[in-house]
Amino acid sequence: MALLAAVIFFSTQSDRFLTGQNFSLILQQVMVVGVIAIGQTLIILTAGIDLSCGMAMALGSVVATKFAVDYGLSPYLAIPCGMLVCIAIGYLNGALVTSIKLPPFIVTLGTMNIAFAATQIYSQAQTVTGLPEAMTFFGNTFRLGGTSITYGTVLMLGLYVLTYLFLRETAPGRHVYAVGNNPEAARLTGIATGRVLVGVYMLAGLCYGIAAMLSVARMGVGDPQGGQTDNLDSITAVVLGGTSLFGGRGSIVGTFIGVMIVGVFRNGLTLMGVPSVYQILVTGILVILAVAADQLTHKKG
């Protein structure tokens, strides 16, 4: 309803809003955060949270681009190297949460700072340019009717479909809900809760690695300053999509709607000429309203 109301409102404020080209632009603008939000959803479904996602993505993008540009590695090997870095951060997060029983908030706050420092040190805070064409493939477009669609948008939509099927149709997907709903009950039913949690954090890391590839394709550079607000944006999208911060309740379809709500608000406010600082203000208000609704629902439950 919030997405529909936003679309109706902004279509009355700008003639350029309700066009196919503009919606294609919105999808391009949200594709990086949209893929990060998939990983964030999996973690929040287990009653966790990941503050390191944006910095992990930035580190993965810098590693992949420097391997390709500075060391002359084939892009088809450099990209997996960047993804492996993100998966390794996911494994570290999951291992610390399960083996030492540290709160996910504290663990990922620490790895966020580690990833940020590693990115700045490794890149010397310099943007990586001169990328081979294969690294920007997903930023290319094809025509669909009168609208240009990027391959990155198609990849993002495909990942949402795969995640929907994983959560709904597979046993590991149902285990994610069970662990988030009641980890002790899940353990007593024979679910290896530790493996599920580590697996979820590694899957989330893979999502951040793919988001790094999309960010490189969209920007055309390896940006060590990228991803600094993506952790909050992804959490915003997940919460707006109805996934409970208490775990065990939510859906990937809701996350996609949450991503679109954020994208539509920012695009619509930009077309209206609203400064970016007020867009951040509106996003903050949306998050508080969504979390308040989640708290009320949880108490009633």
Side-chain angles (χ1 to χ4, degrees):
M1 289 298 293
L3 178 60
L4 182 61
V7 169
I8 293 172
F9 173 74
F10 288 120
S11 65
T12 64
Q13 301 299 310
S14 171
D15 295 335
R16 293 163 52 197
F17 180 78
L18 205 59
T19 63
Q21 196 62 42
N22 190 50
F23 272 93
S24 174
L25 177 61
I26 292 172
L27 286 169
Q28 291 178 44
Q29 291 170 335
V30 303
M31 67 182 183
V32 174
V33 170
V35 173
I36 291 175
I38 293 174
Q40 191 73 261
T41 301
L42 295 173
I43 290 174
I44 290 180
L45 281 174
T46 64
I49 198 163
D50 192 351
L51 301 180
S52 68
C53 53
M55 291 300 99
M57 184 207 71
L59 180 58
S61 69
V62 166
V63 167
T65 52
K66 282 186 75 69
F67 274 29
V69 174
D70 292 357
Y71 309 141
L73 197 65
S74 165
Y76 303 107
L77 294 176
I79 289 172
C81 288
M83 289 184 178
L84 283 174
V85 169
C86 296
I87 294 171
I89 293 174
Y91 174 78
L92 178 62
N93 286 334
L96 290 173
V97 168
T98 55
S99 61
I100 311 181
K101 308 297 182 186
L102 292 175
F105 181 89
I106 300 300
V107 169
T108 58
L109 181 63
T111 52
M112 177 186 75
N113 286 298
I114 292 170
F116 174 75
T119 303
Q120 301 302 313
I121 293 168
Y122 183 55
S123 68
Q124 298 180 326
Q126 299 296 312
T127 301
V128 184
T129 59
L131 307 184
E133 189 174 343
M135 298 197 83
T136 59
F137 169 78
F138 285 101
N140 297 335
T141 62
F142 64 93
R143 300 291 295 179
L144 183 64
T147 304
S148 297
I149 309 291
T150 63
Y151 291 105
T153 297
V154 176
L155 177 60
M156 177 191 71
L157 296 175
L159 288 173
Y160 270 91
V161 172
L162 286 176
T163 308
Y164 173 82
L165 294 174
F166 168 72
L167 290 173
R168 189 176 177 84
E169 303 295 338
T170 69
R174 289 190 287 274
H175 291 172
V176 172
Y177 282 98
V179 170
N181 191 46
N182 190 327
E184 183 60 21
R187 187 186 66 80
L188 293 174
T189 59
I191 296 174
T193 55
R195 288 184 184 176
V196 171
L197 284 173
V198 173
V200 162
Y201 278 91
M202 290 179 71
L203 270 179
L206 175 61
C207 291
Y208 309 153
I210 296 172
M213 182 176 60
L214 293 178
S215 176
V216 168
R218 186 160 189 264
M219 304 298 292
V221 296
D223 184 9
Q225 309 303 328
Q228 297 195 15
T229 62
D230 287 346
N231 52 355
L232 296 180
D233 286 347
S234 64
I235 294 169
T236 300
V238 174
V239 173
L240 286 176
T243 297
S244 173
L245 290 171
F246 298 97
R249 192 174 69 248
S251 73
I252 198 66
V253 175
T255 295
F256 180 71
I257 293 172
V259 167
M260 290 303 296
I261 289 173
V262 174
V264 164
F265 263 89
R266 289 193 172 162
N267 177 271
L269 292 172
T270 300
L271 291 177
M272 290 171 63
V274 176
S276 59
V277 66
Y278 289 101
Q279 298 179 28
I280 297 172
L281 175 68
V282 171
T283 304
I285 293 171
L286 287 173
V287 172
I288 291 173
L289 291 175
V291 173
D294 182 39
Q295 286 274 12
L296 291 172
T297 304
H298 184 74
K299 286 180 180 177
K300 288 180 180 178

